[in-house]
Amino acid sequence: MERLYPKFIILHHTAGHDVSTLEINRMHAQKGFRVKITSPDYLVQEYIERGFLKTDDGGVIVSVGYNYLIRVDGTIERGRPDFVVGAHCSASDMNARSIGIALTGNFSSKDNPTGKKGHMKPTEAQKKALKQLLYYLMDIYKIPRTGILRHKDVVGAATDCPGDRFDFNIFSLA
Protein backbone atom coordinates (compact mmCIF):
# COMPACT_ATOMS: atom_id res chain seq x y z
CA MET A 1 0.00 0.00 0.00
CA GLU A 2 1.68 3.21 -1.13
CA ARG A 3 0.93 6.85 -0.65
CA LEU A 4 2.44 10.01 -1.98
CA TYR A 5 4.10 12.17 0.62
CA PRO A 6 1.34 14.56 1.78
CA LYS A 7 1.71 18.16 0.65
CA PHE A 8 -1.60 19.46 2.01
CA ILE A 9 -3.86 19.29 5.03
CA ILE A 10 -7.58 19.47 4.30
CA LEU A 11 -9.95 20.65 7.05
CA HIS A 12 -13.48 19.31 7.39
CA HIS A 13 -16.47 19.21 9.69
CA THR A 14 -18.40 15.98 10.09
CA ALA A 15 -21.71 17.79 9.48
CA GLY A 16 -23.18 15.97 12.44
CA HIS A 17 -23.13 15.35 16.15
CA ASP A 18 -20.08 14.53 18.25
CA VAL A 19 -19.40 10.85 17.56
CA SER A 20 -16.31 8.67 17.72
CA THR A 21 -14.00 7.68 14.92
CA LEU A 22 -15.39 4.16 15.17
CA GLU A 23 -18.92 5.48 14.55
CA ILE A 24 -17.73 7.48 11.53
CA ASN A 25 -15.93 4.34 10.39
CA ARG A 26 -19.31 2.54 10.38
CA MET A 27 -20.90 5.37 8.36
CA HIS A 28 -18.04 5.48 5.86
CA ALA A 29 -18.14 1.68 5.49
CA GLN A 30 -21.67 2.08 4.11
CA LYS A 31 -20.22 4.40 1.47
CA GLY A 32 -17.59 1.82 0.50
CA PHE A 33 -14.57 3.73 1.85
CA ARG A 34 -12.80 0.61 3.06
CA VAL A 35 -9.13 -0.23 2.95
CA LYS A 36 -7.35 -3.25 4.33
CA ILE A 37 -4.28 -2.68 6.47
CA THR A 38 -1.94 -5.60 7.01
CA SER A 39 1.15 -3.94 8.49
CA PRO A 40 2.88 -2.85 10.56
CA ASP A 41 1.73 -5.43 13.09
CA TYR A 42 1.57 -3.01 16.03
CA LEU A 43 -0.73 -0.69 14.07
CA VAL A 44 -3.02 -3.52 12.98
CA GLN A 45 -3.22 -4.64 16.60
CA GLU A 46 -4.01 -1.08 17.76
CA TYR A 47 -6.93 -0.83 15.32
CA ILE A 48 -8.24 -4.24 16.34
CA GLU A 49 -8.11 -3.22 20.01
CA ARG A 50 -10.00 -0.03 19.13
CA GLY A 51 -12.82 -2.11 17.62
CA PHE A 52 -12.10 -2.05 13.90
CA LEU A 53 -12.96 -5.17 11.89
CA LYS A 54 -10.29 -7.86 11.92
CA THR A 55 -9.85 -9.88 8.75
CA ASP A 56 -9.31 -13.64 8.64
CA ASP A 57 -5.72 -13.16 7.46
CA GLY A 58 -4.70 -10.93 10.37
CA GLY A 59 -5.32 -7.54 8.82
CA VAL A 60 -7.87 -4.92 9.70
CA ILE A 61 -10.50 -3.04 7.69
CA VAL A 62 -10.50 0.74 8.12
CA SER A 63 -13.27 2.70 6.42
CA VAL A 64 -13.08 6.13 8.07
CA GLY A 65 -11.93 8.51 5.35
CA TYR A 66 -10.30 11.11 7.60
CA ASN A 67 -6.84 10.71 9.08
CA TYR A 68 -7.77 12.53 12.29
CA LEU A 69 -10.96 13.41 14.11
CA ILE A 70 -11.20 16.13 16.74
CA ARG A 71 -14.01 15.60 19.21
CA VAL A 72 -15.99 18.33 21.01
CA ASP A 73 -13.78 18.03 24.12
CA GLY A 74 -10.58 18.43 22.07
CA THR A 75 -9.68 14.74 22.03
CA ILE A 76 -7.83 13.83 18.86
CA GLU A 77 -8.68 10.37 17.54
CA ARG A 78 -6.65 8.70 14.84
CA GLY A 79 -8.60 7.69 11.76
CA ARG A 80 -7.07 6.25 8.63
CA PRO A 81 -3.28 5.97 8.96
CA ASP A 82 -1.34 8.84 7.38
CA PHE A 83 0.39 6.51 4.92
CA VAL A 84 -2.93 5.28 3.48
CA VAL A 85 -4.71 7.19 0.72
CA GLY A 86 -7.64 9.04 2.27
CA ALA A 87 -11.35 9.15 1.41
CA HIS A 88 -12.13 12.72 2.39
CA CYS A 89 -11.57 14.90 -0.71
CA SER A 90 -11.49 13.46 -4.21
CA ALA A 91 -11.26 16.90 -5.86
CA SER A 92 -7.81 17.70 -7.28
CA ASP A 93 -6.68 14.19 -6.27
CA MET A 94 -6.37 15.39 -2.68
CA ASN A 95 -7.07 11.97 -1.18
CA ALA A 96 -3.60 10.92 -2.33
CA ARG A 97 -1.95 14.28 -1.67
CA SER A 98 -3.21 15.29 1.76
CA ILE A 99 -3.99 14.54 5.36
CA GLY A 100 -7.68 14.96 6.24
CA ILE A 101 -8.70 16.40 9.61
CA ALA A 102 -12.36 16.56 10.61
CA LEU A 103 -13.87 18.35 13.58
CA THR A 104 -17.13 16.92 14.87
CA GLY A 105 -20.05 19.29 14.46
CA ASN A 106 -21.92 21.05 11.70
CA PHE A 107 -20.60 24.58 11.20
CA SER A 108 -22.91 25.57 8.32
CA SER A 109 -25.46 28.24 9.20
CA LYS A 110 -27.53 27.16 6.19
CA ASP A 111 -27.56 23.42 6.95
CA ASN A 112 -27.56 23.70 10.75
CA PRO A 113 -29.19 27.02 11.71
CA THR A 114 -30.32 25.94 15.20
CA GLY A 115 -27.87 23.23 16.24
CA LYS A 116 -30.15 20.24 15.63
CA LYS A 117 -27.46 18.65 13.44
CA GLY A 118 -24.58 19.04 15.89
CA HIS A 119 -22.79 21.88 17.59
CA MET A 120 -22.73 25.00 15.40
CA LYS A 121 -19.10 26.11 15.67
CA PRO A 122 -15.84 24.58 16.83
CA THR A 123 -15.40 24.53 20.59
CA GLU A 124 -12.39 26.20 22.19
CA ALA A 125 -11.05 22.73 22.98
CA GLN A 126 -11.37 21.71 19.31
CA LYS A 127 -9.61 24.86 18.12
CA LYS A 128 -6.75 24.37 20.56
CA ALA A 129 -6.35 20.71 19.58
CA LEU A 130 -6.53 21.58 15.88
CA LYS A 131 -3.79 24.16 16.19
CA GLN A 132 -1.53 21.69 18.04
CA LEU A 133 -2.21 18.94 15.51
CA LEU A 134 -1.56 21.28 12.58
CA TYR A 135 1.82 22.36 13.96
CA TYR A 136 2.72 18.72 14.56
CA LEU A 137 1.76 17.60 11.03
CA MET A 138 3.32 20.66 9.39
CA ASP A 139 6.60 19.83 11.12
CA ILE A 140 6.57 16.13 10.25
CA TYR A 141 5.57 16.55 6.61
CA LYS A 142 7.10 20.01 5.99
CA ILE A 143 3.74 21.43 4.93
CA PRO A 144 3.64 25.24 4.77
CA ARG A 145 0.67 27.23 6.08
CA THR A 146 -0.38 27.76 2.47
CA GLY A 147 -0.84 23.98 2.25
CA ILE A 148 -3.66 24.04 4.80
CA LEU A 149 -7.01 24.28 3.02
CA ARG A 150 -10.64 24.11 3.92
CA HIS A 151 -12.39 21.37 1.94
CA LYS A 152 -14.44 24.00 0.10
CA ASP A 153 -11.25 25.76 -1.06
CA VAL A 154 -9.91 22.75 -2.95
CA VAL A 155 -10.23 23.29 -6.68
CA GLY A 156 -13.14 21.22 -7.96
CA ALA A 157 -14.69 20.53 -4.54
CA ALA A 158 -18.43 21.22 -4.65
CA THR A 159 -19.03 21.65 -0.93
CA ASP A 160 -19.52 24.22 1.82
CA CYS A 161 -17.43 22.10 4.22
CA PRO A 162 -16.35 22.99 6.88
CA GLY A 163 -19.13 25.57 6.93
CA ASP A 164 -19.27 29.34 7.28
CA ARG A 165 -18.98 29.24 11.09
CA PHE A 166 -15.51 27.66 10.91
CA ASP A 167 -12.91 30.34 11.75
CA PHE A 168 -10.09 29.76 9.29
CA ASN A 169 -7.74 32.13 11.11
CA ILE A 170 -6.30 29.14 12.93
CA PHE A 171 -2.85 30.40 13.79
CA SER A 172 -4.11 33.48 15.59
CA LEU A 173 -5.98 31.25 18.05
CA ALA A 174 -4.67 31.13 21.60
Side-chain angles (χ1 to χ4, degrees), residues 66-120:
Y66 310 117
N67 302 94
Y68 297 91
L69 178 72
I70 302 178
R71 304 285 305 272
V72 71
D73 65 358
T75 300
I76 299 170
E77 294 182 7
R78 187 186 338 210
R80 194 171 284 221
D82 291 359
F83 63 86
V84 176
V85 173
H88 59 89
C89 182
S90 59
S92 297
D93 196 31
M94 281 298 180
N95 282 329
R97 301 170 57 209
S98 68
I99 298 289
I101 301 174
L103 282 69
T104 62
N106 186 326
F107 312 140
S108 170
S109 59
K110 181 179 176 185
D111 186 48
N112 189 27
T114 62
K116 290 184 179 180
K117 294 183 178 181
H119 57 285
M120 299 187 300

Side-chain angles (χ1 to χ4, degrees), residues 20-89:
S20 70
T21 300
L22 202 53
E23 181 60 29
I24 291 174
N25 188 70
R26 287 185 194 100
M27 291 184 254
H28 285 187
Q30 293 173 357
K31 296 181 179 186
F33 294 168
R34 52 188 285 148
V35 293
K36 182 178 174 183
I37 299 170
T38 57
S39 66
D41 290 339
Y42 74 88
L43 186 64
V44 170
Q45 187 59 38
E46 174 192 320
Y47 279 86
I48 292 168
E49 288 172 6
R50 289 175 55 205
F52 288 79
L53 181 64
K54 182 179 179 181
T55 62
D56 291 338
D57 61 357
V60 66
I61 300 297
V62 178
S63 298
V64 60
Y66 310 117
N67 302 94
Y68 297 91
L69 178 72
I70 302 178
R71 304 285 305 272
V72 71
D73 65 358
T75 300
I76 299 170
E77 294 182 7
R78 187 186 338 210
R80 194 171 284 221
D82 291 359
F83 63 86
V84 176
V85 173
H88 59 89
C89 182

